[in-house]
Amino acid sequence: MSQNDAITRQVDVVAHDLAALIDLLHIDFLHRDSLGRSGPVADVIAAVESVGRLMDCARVRVLAQLVNNPMLVERLGHASATSAVASLAQISERSARTRLTVATAVCEDLTLTGAVVPAARPAVSAALDAGDLGLDAANLIATELASITGRAPSDVLDMAETVMVGRATGVSPNDQPMVAAVSVDFLTGEIRQMTAAADPDGARPREERATRRREFRLGTPDEDGLVPAHGRLLPEVGVLLAGMLEAQRRSPRFIDLNANLMDHLGEPADPRTPAQRRHDALGEIVMAAATADGAPSLDGLPVTVLVTVTAADLTNDAGLDSDAIGTITGSPFPASRRTIERFIDTGGYRVATTDETGAVTAISSTQRCFTPIQRLAMATRDGTGCVTPGCTSPHYTLQAHHVIPDRDGGPTALDNGLLLCFWHHQQVDTGPWQYRMVAGLPYVRGPGIPNWTRTRQPIARVA
């Protein structure tokens, strides 16, 4: 029997055993009593994962010939080993690169004389064979050590490899338990700190690479007008942005202890996904930054969203909210009447007069725009947050809203204005919340609050 035949037969045996295991898992996890106990479930997950790590090892070992014999890739009809593995294994090229990186680090080779060339990373190789080290962790260690190969002495590399493998598996070099094994996400930071410690140049090479690779791009709007954004942020920029988004999410909410607590229990959960909430938080942060003192300007004016629409289209009483009547500068897509009215509600408008050729002959000052003093008065009256129950957006990110819109003759006055966050202002005409002013005070009703309720109750001073 050839070696290939033996491997194929063993694979059939393993596949049969795995099929039996999968059947057992289907049967076992249908029973409620097994789901109610954390111990058995944790043990089963750990046991199955140990088998998965051995399968990962087999996936890596089978690539030894591709790693050591580049001509084999051409005979297989592929331009690169990555392409060959991705096609043969029916996986993504990213996953193929991961396997090839690990295979390069752990597979032995033969010289022309038949002498065995040991694996570049023997500790990683042994841990893979034992089923103690997963593919993701092995790729992390191999990649980090490769980044300093040639700068760090070989004995330092070997020591770093041993420590890294021990941290990833939770087992010391003498097979004694060290610390509990951790997830690869948690492990990444520690491994990179070890890499920097082993690198004679310290962390500087990585920082210089990061500086060269930093980027941020805005793409072309898609068919819905959404603008794709992608890039790589320097650590301090990424951490600061992540912190601001998290701070926006965690903005505290205060309720009146004198009110009925049950009134707040009926408030609906936020329907937005986490990604949508981060988008809206970023929008609020950018809008607040654009109006802050010292913010950059364009042509001497604050950066703003420029929307154009003809007066005839805007004042057409027969028009529908969905009518595409305006344009947003920088976007190739038209804007609906409802969107334009929301922009006017937030930032007012200017009237530009043109002659018969289209030349602008006059432009007015901003109209229908709440002044900073009016916004401050609203925050004092309503509290320093969005008036929608349950919303925690802070006051400096809010937008002033005309309760009675301009089309219905509503004035730009304190008794017709309230503060809403970016999300609730977008939903003011279509969302579940309704707003109105009574004697100069805002009232709201919606899910869990069926009756018109004042958004902020006065708190009497205790004598």
Side-chain angles (χ1 to χ4, degrees):
M1 181 187 300
S2 68
Q3 185 179 24
N4 285 346
D5 290 338
I7 291 174
T8 301
R9 177 171 295 183
Q10 189 61 44
V11 168
D12 290 339
V13 172
V14 173
H16 179 271
D17 290 341
L18 285 176
L21 172 62
I22 292 171
D23 288 339
L24 285 174
L25 290 174
H26 276 296
I27 296 172
D28 181 63
F29 277 72
L30 285 175
H31 291 88
R32 289 289 178 182
D33 57 346
S34 66
L35 291 175
R37 302 190 301 275
S38 60
V41 172
D43 292 341
V44 170
I45 291 174
V48 170
E49 190 57 34
S50 65
V51 175
R53 287 194 292 269
L54 289 173
M55 286 301 303
D56 283 342
C57 180
R59 292 187 177 104
V60 168
R61 294 296 180 191
V62 78
L63 302 181
Q65 294 188 50
L66 289 178
V67 170
N68 297 327
N69 185 5
M71 298 299 296
L72 181 58
V73 174
E74 294 184 13
R75 290 199 294 269
L76 290 171
H78 292 274
S80 66
T82 300
S83 174
V85 174
S87 177
L88 293 171
Q90 300 179 7
I91 58 177
S92 68
E93 291 199 352
R94 180 177 181 179
S95 297
R97 281 192 294 270
T98 296
R99 295 186 188 181
L100 286 166
T101 297
V102 178
T104 302
V106 303
C107 290
E108 299 174 337
D109 196 4
L110 294 175
T111 65
L112 293 177
T113 61
V116 176
V117 178
R121 303 270 67 93
V124 174
S125 178
L128 272 177
D129 289 342
D132 295 331
L133 190 66
L135 188 59
D136 290 338
N139 177 60
L140 172 64
I141 295 173
T143 302
E144 287 298 310
L145 291 175
S147 70
I148 59 174
T149 299
R151 292 200 304 272
S154 59
D155 59 334
V156 173
L157 286 172
D158 293 342
M159 182 179 298
E161 178 190 2
T162 300
V163 175
M164 290 177 181
V165 170
R167 185 67 186 95
T169 60
V171 179
S172 67
N174 57 2
D175 294 330
Q176 296 298 316
M178 238 177 15
V179 292
V182 296
S183 70
V184 175
D185 292 330
F186 184 86
L187 183 68
T188 299
E190 294 190 349
I191 295 297
R192 287 176 176 168
Q193 289 179 2
M194 296 177 193
T195 304
D199 191 340
D201 296 332
R204 190 60 187 164
R206 187 188 301 277
E207 292 174 347
E208 291 175 349
R209 288 197 306 272
T211 300
R212 291 193 300 269
R213 298 178 63 207
R214 76 192 190 281
E215 61 179 345
F216 184 78
R217 296 191 182 98
L218 295 177
T220 303
D222 64 13
E223 64 276 6
D224 294 325
L226 295 174
V227 180
H230 55 89
R232 299 182 180 93
L233 305 180
L234 287 172
E236 59 270 29
V237 178
V239 168
L240 185 61
L241 177 59
M244 293 185 70
L245 294 175
E246 181 65 10
Q248 198 82 329
R249 185 185 73 83
R250 293 188 185 182
S251 296
R253 174 193 172 202
F254 300 96
I255 63 174
D256 181 5
L257 294 179
N258 295 322
N260 184 359
L261 186 59
M262 295 303 296
D263 292 341
H264 299 279
L265 297 180
E267 295 171 4
D270 193 330
R272 296 172 293 174
T273 66
Q276 289 172 337
R277 290 197 296 270
R278 285 192 293 271
H279 168 276
D280 295 347
L282 179 61
E284 292 176 345
I285 292 170
V286 171
M287 292 173 190
T291 58
D293 292 340
S297 61
L298 286 176
D299 301 325
L301 294 173
V303 178
T304 187
V305 178
L306 179 61
V307 182
T308 56
V309 59
T310 66
D313 285 334
L314 186 62
T315 57
N316 181 8
D317 294 335
L320 303 175
D321 284 348
S322 59
D323 288 346
I325 62 173
T327 59
I328 301 175
T329 301
S331 174
F333 297 95
S336 68
R337 182 187 308 278
R338 185 170 73 88
T339 295
I340 290 175
E341 289 180 346
R342 177 170 57 82
F343 277 116
I344 292 175
D345 191 32
T346 302
Y349 63 87
R350 294 175 184 266
V351 177
T353 305
T354 62
D355 60 18
E356 62 277 2
T357 67
V360 176
T361 59
I363 187 167
S364 73
S365 59
T366 303
Q367 303 178 36
R368 291 283 298 162
C369 182
F370 287 102
T371 67
I373 297 300
Q374 287 175 315
R375 289 174 53 90
L376 182 61
M378 293 179 204
T380 302
R381 179 194 64 198
D382 306 331
T384 56
C386 175
V387 301
T388 308
C391 185
T392 60
S393 293
H395 72 93
Y396 53 84
T397 67
L398 303 182
Q399 301 174 350
H401 166 62
H402 291 77
V403 178
I404 301 176
D406 179 50
R407 63 178 179 269
D408 296 331
T412 305
L414 183 60
D415 59 2
N416 189 44
L418 49 79
L419 298 177
L420 296 174
C421 69
F422 174 80
W423 165 248
H424 285 113
H425 201 187
Q426 281 194 318
Q427 300 294 309
V428 73
D429 291 325
T430 59
W433 294 101
Q434 296 177 309
Y435 311 90
R436 76 176 183 183
M437 303 296 292
V438 178
L441 299 173
Y443 282 69
V444 63
R445 71 178 179 184
I449 307 178
N451 300 317
W452 286 107
T453 304
R454 184 173 171 182
T455 59
R456 188 191 189 198
Q457 300 295 332
I459 300 176
R461 182 181 298 275
V462 179

